[in-house]
Structures are given as C-alpha cells and as structure tokens.
Amino acid sequence: VAVTLGLGFLLTAIGTVLLKQKPEEKIGPVFHAIGGMLIPGGAVVLLNELNIDFASLWPVALTFGTIFLFYMLLDWMQKNAVLTFFAIANGTAFIYLLVQSIIDEPFYLHDDLYAYLTMIIGASYLLLAYAFRGGWNKQLLGALNFFGSLGFLAAGFSRVFDSQPWQMFYFLIVIGGLFLSAYLRTRAILLVSTLFLIAHVSYITGEYFADSIGWPVALIILGFVFIGLGYVSITINKKYIKQATP
C-alpha cells in the first residue's frame, strides 16, 4: 500500500506544488502522470489488504468514483491536461464498474447494454474533444477523437451480426463519421471511420454475396471498393483536413 497508493499520493502532492510554483515547466505534470498511474492500482491493493470481498464490485466502483472526484477537484484547481486525462479515465472505469455492480450478473449476458453504453461513452469523448478545442485541454483532442470514434463505431459494429436493421443503419453511421471528420478536421475520426466502413463492406459481401457470385469475384469487387474508399479518404484528408493543419 505504501509503495503504490502512498507513493502515488506523494507524487501527486509534489506535482501539485510544482505545477503551482512553476506552471510554465513540464516537471509538475510528469509527477502527476506517475502518481496517476499508481493511485488506482494502489487503491485496489488497499481494498485487498482490508479483505474486501471482490465478489461484489460495489467497493471497487465507489473507490474509482472517489478517485474520479479527486481528479475532478484537482483539475478544477490547477487546470492541466494530465489531470483531465486521469479524471476521464477513472470516470470511465467508474461508469462501467457502477453498471456491472447494479446488474450483478456476468457481463456477457448483457452485451447489448454494454454495447450501447460504450457508444454513449464514445459519443461523450467526441463531445469533450469538441468542447476542448482551443482550450488548455487541446493536447487531448487526438486521443479523445480516436478513442471516442473507436468505441462508438466498434460497439455499433458488434450489433450488425444479429440485426438486419443494424446492418443497414451502420452504413449511415460510418458515412456520418466521414462527414464528421471533415467538419471537425481530424484525421483520427477519418482513419477509424474508413477502417470500419471497410470492415462492414467486407462483412456484408461475405454474408450475402460470396455464395452467389463466388469468393474470387467477391474479392475482386472488394478490391475496387477498397480502392474507392481509400481515394475518398485521401480526398477528404487533402481537401478538408490537411489544409487546416498548420
């Protein structure tokens, strides 16, 4: 406990002092980064040493909720992107643990719920990235856009295997991702949207056309489709994104 949780809080305290005294230097955020990686694991070690029963996730969920509030308070006081990152990471863990604690059943029995929850969290990351533009959290834009779009599109793609309406609706989602990447001028969303569009086209082709036209012909068609999607992505990057990059 001393070398994890205790050391984590000590390093965080040092980072807080350094960030207040020398806000223009990077040494304070470095201490915060190391402390932020130690505190969650140290908190779990503390629960284990207290002989907390991990059969119920409530103690773990409340612990991560407390860590989330701790970093929210620090972030409000010092306004640093490293603190914002740990607030978001611990807040995300808290949401998943809270939902699992409420359900209290194996997560694979509620895959629909977790898929939609992941889509909501992914969308919230994208909204945070939009809100952080031009502010002191702008260093997080790339990560938020990437993981937000990845979570949203990956969770949505998991729904297409069991639902024909989702198979059609998912085309609109990934095309919307391409338009969003052009509007926000971000390569992260463009890359993720293109990859999942390719994956979805491949799945639809294999599911409905491979048996009727044969795999060799299907692969040839997929090759031309991939070339077209690559051209569209490059065009969007050159026309809307690259011109906006300093």
Side-chain angles (χ1 to χ4, degrees), residues 103-166:
I103 295 175
D104 198 22
E105 290 181 347
F107 69 91
Y108 55 82
L109 298 178
H110 302 275
D111 55 338
D112 285 349
L113 173 62
Y114 282 103
Y116 292 121
L117 177 62
T118 303
M119 293 181 70
I120 293 173
I121 292 176
S124 69
Y125 280 13
L126 295 175
L127 291 174
L128 285 174
Y130 183 81
F132 290 163
R133 293 189 305 172
W136 43 273
N137 281 320
K138 60 183 179 181
Q139 297 95 329
L140 300 176
L141 296 186
L144 288 172
N145 282 322
F146 177 78
F147 287 107
S149 57
L150 179 63
F152 188 88
L153 293 177
F157 187 63
S158 70
R159 302 296 90 209
V160 305
F161 301 106
D162 303 319
S163 172
Q164 289 187 349
W166 259 103

Side-chain angles (χ1 to χ4, degrees), residues 41-87:
V44 175
V45 171
L46 177 61
L47 294 178
N48 183 66
E49 291 300 318
L50 293 175
N51 295 320
I52 299 296
D53 185 10
F54 285 91
S56 172
L57 288 178
W58 277 110
V60 184
L62 294 177
T63 298
F64 274 88
T66 303
I67 297 173
F68 164 66
L69 293 176
F70 170 72
Y71 274 102
M72 285 287 291
L73 178 62
L74 273 182
D75 195 29
W76 175 73
M77 293 171 56
Q78 297 203 305
K79 293 180 172 58
N80 186 268
V82 173
L83 298 174
T84 305
F85 169 80
F86 284 112

Side-chain angles (χ1 to χ4, degrees), residues 128-198:
L128 285 174
Y130 183 81
F132 290 163
R133 293 189 305 172
W136 43 273
N137 281 320
K138 60 183 179 181
Q139 297 95 329
L140 300 176
L141 296 186
L144 288 172
N145 282 322
F146 177 78
F147 287 107
S149 57
L150 179 63
F152 188 88
L153 293 177
F157 187 63
S158 70
R159 302 296 90 209
V160 305
F161 301 106
D162 303 319
S163 172
Q164 289 187 349
W166 259 103
Q167 292 172 6
M168 300 302 299
F169 182 60
Y170 193 74
F171 277 112
L172 299 178
I173 292 179
V174 289
I175 292 174
L178 295 176
F179 280 103
L180 183 64
S181 68
Y183 176 74
L184 296 179
R185 302 179 185 273
T186 170
R187 291 189 180 93
I189 300 177
L190 175 63
L191 173 63
V192 175
S193 299
T194 302
L195 291 178
F196 275 101
L197 182 55
I198 290 174

Side-chain angles (χ1 to χ4, degrees), residues 1-16:
V1 174
V3 299
T4 53
L5 186 62
L7 182 60
F9 279 121
L10 176 62
L11 293 174
T12 300
I14 295 174
T16 300

Side-chain angles (χ1 to χ4, degrees), residues 79-98:
K79 293 180 172 58
N80 186 268
V82 173
L83 298 174
T84 305
F85 169 80
F86 284 112
I88 294 173
N90 287 286
T92 302
F94 168 66
I95 292 173
Y96 280 109
L97 289 169
L98 178 63

